[in-house]
Amino acid sequence: MDITSIIAGLNDAQRAAVTAPPGSTLVLAGAGSGKTRVLVHRIAWLLQVEHISPWGILAVTFTNKAAREMQQRIEALLQQPIGGLWVGTFHGLAHRLLRAHWSEAQLPQGFQILDADDQYRLIKRLLREANLDDSRWPPRQVQRFINRNKDEGLRPQHLDAGRDPYQRQMISLYDNYEAACQRAGVVDFAELLLRAHELWRDRSDILQHYRQRFGAILVDEFQDTNAIQYAWLRLLSDTEDKLFVVGDDDQSIYGWRGAKVEHIQQFQTHFPNTRVVRLEQNYRSTGNILAAANAVIAQNPDRLGKALWTTAGEGEPIRLYSAYNETDEARFVTDQIRSLQVAGESYQQMAILYRTSAQSRQFEETLIQSDIPYRIYGGLRFFERAEIKDVLAYLRLLENRQDDPAFERAVNQPPRGIGARTLEAVREHARIHNLSLWQAAQTVIRDQQLTARAAGALTRFLQLIDNTQAQLAELTLSEQIARVIAASALRDHFAQSRDGKGQDRLENLDELIHAGQQSDLNFTLEGQTPLQTFLAQAALEAGDTQASADEDSVQLMTLHAAKGLEFAVVFIGGLEEGLFPHSMSSDNAQKLAEERRLCYVGMTRARRRLYLAHAETRRIHGSVSLPLASRFLRDIPAETLQEVRARNNYAHPRSSRVSHNDTGLYPGQQVLHPTFGSGVILNTEGHGASARAQVNFATAGTKWLIIAMANLEPIASAST
DNA sequence: AACACCGCGTTTTTT
DNA sequence: ACGCGGTGTT
């Protein structure tokens, strides 16, 4: 491995970034400019040229997927496995740190991780215990309050409500929540980061160790860092300039969950000796797509400034379709997908993007009607499914009896005669004596505070957990999981369920056992049992949103979910005021700027063809609205845009402009084809010899035909 | 403990 | 419009 192969094939800007001298570096990486490539090559450079040990490199990403990809690409580039690199998410790294220093971080050794759903349930329980009306104190709001403050690095004692009773109550709930987590030995996602930060802040010996260890720190998607993550990086890098951060201020779309675009905007102020490299050459999209995306994002204030360019040609114009309503919009998209597929484009390379997940329904319906396979991203992930979380609750309780959220979940699932009254008594006892639910259950039984029947049921539950634990010692992880599923009677419970989902659930349980088998083969964090590692991984990496469909299928997802992906053909629906930009974001300039960035992200996903659509009427929450076309559309240069008005079989009362061109054919016109028979022109494109028409034939379906070859014969008919 | 009914909210989502 | 969650009924 030599230097040449690390820098070969890089453009000037990429090479400047990869070979940057030690010191802090900010890489402003436009969409499709080879950002991951730069990170991967930079790490190779550090290893091979700067001779930094893998042990001394920390690379942080935002998703596990990105972390895996980076590790793989580094190994592929260097053609050897690279052990010892720290590549992972902020959360994954914080978790590893806390496992190594659990005692210094004041955590029990077997601490468990709460996911968002666990957190929500815990908050609801605390509200009930505090006798607070959850319509006045919506748990979601409390959860947001807690997480927002944790993301800012703020503990309850840092907050001052003054006389505001609302704030006071919130702070007090936050305080209760923290106490409950501490007692149970559980940490939520934000807590992982906060604890890690506090560990470093308060234990200079530990901080010193990691500062010395990491000679280089690389951060991907830097525009998405929140306050605590940024504080982390500053602590770790200290004054030594060893940060190499890569990001794009124009793609910051997670402000609503605490990301601060200011971090990237003001990076050079905090690190004055920063070398800035702009990656502006785009290897993904055509000229038209980039020109349009550049024009849209150019309207935003406070940009670091960047303009994407390409050596690829202009490519196809961007197609804009003004639909009558959302069904018409979906029909248009579906028709285009069908004809593109006939023309040789794979479904897999086509994506439908939208602002809100509710919009997927219309598209799904028309896709189903047309027998086009599709896959939706989003929704419940594997480890978030109720039946899976039920099993995990048992496993967590086996690891840590103090884990109250796990106790709450497992205690009466499946139903075993432990009713609300019994649980109320246990909770009350736990609250008064500051005990865990497990301990409280034991004492309540011992002190005979329950009816014989309730005491019997509760005793059997406690014994079930203890007995199961006794059986697990010699088993592999997957056998342990299988044992727990059987012993808890969850399998029987789901097998007997009559809600139609029983079979799915059983399959998921088997899948969980299978996941355990896979995990058996993987490495285990030092000092951890396979089960502990498995539980942490289940929380930190909840799995894919859907079983991967092998079938070639159209990809449907929100614009947010599309970030980082690319497709040959992209459709963006619902470009309407109130929907995109969303009405919830229309009240302030910052949120609008983020919506605009979201639009930019969406447009730059497209490699060759970009279709934009808006509807003139749309049903939202049951009632019909007449939205204006999105302001983003106004910013797209006319020369990159072609308006499509395919009025298929729809009568529509509003505009009926027809675009004629030099083909002599126009949408809506009836034609006759020698082999396909009669049809209607949906769309035309191109000029002269390459001009094509999309025709919907009565019997042969929709096809794109070269007009010069097709011998289409216009049939006289009244144009709409 | 299972089922029916009612009322409310309704952007984006990873860890 | 629609689904979810909370409450009340059998």
Side-chain angles (χ1 to χ4, degrees):
Chain A
M1 190 74 222
D2 57 335
I3 297 179
T4 358
S5 57
I6 295 177
I7 56 175
L10 300 178
N11 67 34
D12 291 349
Q14 290 172 336
R15 193 176 320 110
V18 166
T19 64
S24 59
T25 307
L26 167 62
V27 181
L28 291 173
S33 65
K35 168 185 74 114
T36 308
R37 189 147 188 249
V38 163
L39 273 166
V40 165
H41 284 246
R42 173 66 174 178
I43 291 172
W45 176 267
L46 293 172
L47 291 168
Q48 304 276 327
V49 181
E50 304 281 353
H51 298 294
I52 298 182
S53 140
W55 179 253
I57 296 177
L58 174 64
V60 197
T61 61
F62 273 79
T63 65
N64 293 294
K65 197 174 145 206
R68 274 193 303 271
E69 188 185 326
M70 197 177 306
Q71 177 83 36
Q72 281 164 9
R73 283 180 61 172
I74 294 164
E75 294 181 352
L77 177 64
L78 297 179
Q79 297 179 344
Q80 55 178 313
I82 309 291
L85 275 179
W86 271 44
V87 183
T89 62
F90 277 103
H91 294 83
L93 299 171
H95 173 246
R96 224 169 125 179
L97 189 78
L98 294 176
R99 286 288 175 208
H101 303 283
W102 54 272
S103 159
E104 296 95 323
Q106 275 115 54
L107 287 169
Q109 186 165 20
F111 74 86
Q112 301 292 325
I113 300 169
L114 293 190
D115 72 7
D117 180 57
D118 298 326
Q119 185 186 39
Y120 178 74
R121 286 160 173 262
L122 174 55
I123 289 167
K124 276 207 326 205
R125 199 185 101 214
L126 294 173
L127 284 165
R128 231 177 295 127
E129 284 178 9
N131 276 320
L132 290 172
D133 176 4
D134 56 0
S135 59
R136 272 198 41 183
W137 304 97
R140 289 274 167 231
Q141 226 164 300
V142 178
Q143 186 177 25
R144 264 205 307 276
F145 178 88
I146 293 172
N147 288 336
R148 201 179 57 228
N149 281 298
K150 285 193 179 191
D151 283 345
E152 298 285 327
L154 299 171
R155 295 289 187 190
Q157 60 268 27
H158 299 134
L159 299 170
D160 178 19
R163 290 227 191 79
D164 184 342
Y166 173 85
Q167 287 289 321
R168 280 173 177 236
Q169 183 61 263
M170 281 296 192
I171 294 168
S172 140
L173 285 166
Y174 180 10
D175 209 28
N176 288 353
Y177 170 80
E178 282 211 316
C181 289
Q182 187 62 30
R183 192 171 53 230
V186 296
V187 295
D188 59 48
F189 290 132
E191 184 74 22
L192 284 167
L193 301 179
L194 194 45
R195 282 283 171 131
H197 181 256
E198 288 169 349
L199 178 69
W200 279 329
R201 187 195 60 194
D202 301 337
R203 289 295 301 258
S204 55
D205 54 329
I206 297 177
L207 175 62
Q208 214 44 48
H209 168 80
Y210 286 100
R211 270 188 183 167
Q212 273 165 19
R213 170 173 171 176
F214 296 123
I217 301 172
L218 301 93
V219 188
D220 190 15
E221 306 279 18
F222 184 66
Q223 76 282 355
D224 287 335
T225 48
N226 66 27
I228 192 74
Q229 290 163 338
Y230 189 50
W232 238 65
L233 293 172
R234 293 192 76 173
L235 256 189
L236 256 192
S237 61
D238 190 29
T239 51
E240 313 163 49
D241 295 330
K242 56 184 172 190
L243 280 180
F244 185 94
V245 304
V246 181
D248 182 356
D249 53 323
D250 292 331
Q251 291 187 70
S252 167
I253 56 173
Y254 286 110
W256 51 275
R257 62 182 202 212
K260 295 238 186 317
V261 68
E262 295 86 349
H263 293 152
I264 194 167
Q265 287 169 342
Q266 293 160 12
F267 189 76
Q268 295 170 78
T269 316
H270 287 163
F271 296 88
N273 298 320
T274 296
R275 174 178 298 257
V276 180
V277 180
R278 281 183 166 72
L279 304 182
E280 297 176 295
Q281 181 172 4
N282 174 289
Y283 295 95
R284 178 184 295 156
S285 311
T286 64
N288 277 334
I289 291 168
L290 293 180
N294 281 336
V296 168
I297 198 66
Q299 300 294 320
N300 262 3
D302 305 321
R303 297 175 60 224
L304 288 167
K306 215 171 8 50
L308 298 178
W309 60 274
T310 179
T311 57
E314 285 178 6
E316 297 286 328
I318 293 162
R319 303 252 159 45
L320 172 64
Y321 181 68
S322 303
Y324 166 53
N325 61 16
E326 68 276 4
T327 311
D328 183 26
E329 176 186 61
R331 197 71 64 102
F332 166 75
V333 169
T334 302
D335 286 347
Q336 295 298 315
I337 287 173
R338 201 197 292 118
S339 28
L340 286 165
Q341 201 257 353
V342 168
E345 204 73 72
S346 78
Y347 286 137
Q348 202 75 31
Q349 277 302 318
M350 298 190 245
I352 306 176
L353 311 182
Y354 34 78
R355 179 63 180 81
T356 68
S357 31
Q359 287 168 258
S360 72
R361 237 190 71 197
Q362 286 296 329
F363 293 112
E364 285 185 76
E365 279 172 14
T366 52
L367 288 167
I368 289 169
Q369 279 169 21
S370 302
D371 262 331
I372 295 175
Y374 64 90
R375 182 186 169 200
I376 295 194
Y377 285 65
L380 269 196
R381 284 144 0 130
F382 182 73
F383 284 101
E384 293 168 348
R385 284 161 207 272
E387 61 276 20
I388 299 303
K389 296 218 62 174
D390 290 341
V391 181
L392 295 180
Y394 282 88
L395 294 169
R396 275 165 53 179
L397 207 48
L398 288 164
E399 280 293 320
N400 174 10
R401 297 290 196 280
Q402 318 306 120
D403 187 337
D404 286 358
F407 184 99
E408 286 274 0
R409 181 155 195 139
V411 67
N412 206 30
Q413 173 67 351
R416 51 169 66 87
I418 302 174
R421 301 198 76 101
T422 311
L423 280 175
E424 226 17 86
V426 174
R427 289 193 197 105
E428 180 71 2
H429 190 84
R431 203 169 53 79
I432 292 169
H433 300 282
N434 197 26
L435 299 171
S436 67
L437 293 172
W438 179 269
Q439 293 165 327
Q442 286 177 321
T443 36
V444 163
I445 293 166
R446 195 193 58 211
D447 299 349
Q448 304 193 321
Q449 295 177 21
L450 300 172
T451 62
R453 202 166 94 167
L458 195 54
T459 304
R460 280 192 295 280
F461 174 68
L462 300 184
Q463 283 172 351
L464 168 71
I465 300 297
D466 284 338
N467 291 342
T468 308
Q469 177 155 40
Q471 298 167 23
L472 296 185
E474 300 295 309
L475 303 180
T476 66
L477 175 56
S478 62
E479 287 166 344
Q480 290 179 336
I481 296 170
R483 179 65 56 88
V484 166
I485 292 172
S488 62
L490 282 169
R491 183 178 294 281
D492 295 341
H493 172 68
F494 291 124
Q496 284 159 24
S497 84
R498 287 163 290 118
D499 64 355
K501 292 182 200 142
Q503 197 51 44
D504 278 355
R505 297 209 152 114
L506 289 180
E507 282 169 19
N508 284 333
L509 294 184
D510 288 332
E511 189 55 35
L512 184 66
I513 296 170
H514 182 70
Q517 268 166 14
Q518 299 287 307
S519 188
D520 269 332
L521 305 172
N522 287 340
F523 87 113
T524 298
L525 218 56
E526 206 177 327
Q528 297 285 296
T529 64
L531 178 54
Q532 286 170 328
T533 306
F534 183 74
L535 286 172
Q537 209 180 329
L540 289 174
E541 193 171 355
D544 282 338
T545 51
Q546 279 202 352
S548 59
D550 304 306
E551 194 182 9
D552 180 33
S553 47
V554 176
Q555 316 288 303
L556 271 68
M557 68 194 80
T558 62
L559 287 146
H560 283 90
K563 191 171 144 212
L565 305 177
E566 62 173 60
F567 307 92
V569 183
V570 168
F571 298 89
I572 304 179
L575 277 148
E576 295 140 36
E577 288 294 305
L579 186 59
F580 191 25
H582 200 277
S583 53
M584 300 292 275
S585 300
S586 299
D587 55 347
N588 85 51
Q590 289 202 341
K591 289 187 195 165
L592 278 170
E594 184 156 311
E595 294 281 314
R596 189 176 285 282
R597 294 194 289 265
L598 191 55
C599 185
Y600 174 77
V601 166
M603 294 173 75
T604 52
R605 299 309 95 197
R607 285 208 298 267
R608 297 198 307 271
R609 286 172 186 271
L610 176 61
Y611 291 79
L612 306 173
H614 68 102
E616 287 158 355
T617 71
R618 181 178 296 271
R619 212 166 243 288
I620 286 177
H621 306 152
S623 47
V624 173
S625 65
L626 300 170
L628 298 171
S630 171
R631 67 192 72 185
F632 304 145
L633 292 174
R634 284 205 302 269
D635 302 321
I636 298 178
E639 63 272 21
T640 66
L641 202 61
Q642 182 184 81
E643 286 200 53
V644 179
R645 296 234 167 210
R647 293 303 179 205
N648 197 354
N649 304 314
Y650 299 95
H652 61 98
R654 311 230 330 172
S655 108
S656 54
R657 193 148 43 87
V658 172
S659 64
H660 288 263
N661 62 14
D662 65 359
T663 62
L665 298 170
Y666 57 88
Q669 189 176 28
Q670 306 266 335
V671 291
L672 199 62
H673 185 275
T675 41
F676 298 131
S678 74
V680 185
I681 302 286
L682 297 183
N683 197 0
T684 60
E685 65 172 20
H687 300 275
S690 66
R692 307 195 303 151
Q694 185 191 28
V695 192
N696 185 20
F697 292 104
T699 50
T702 306
K703 295 183 186 307
W704 279 101
L705 302 168
I706 306 283
I707 293 164
M709 318 277 290
N711 198 10
L712 291 170
E713 189 189 339
I715 307 173
S717 75
S719 155
T720 45

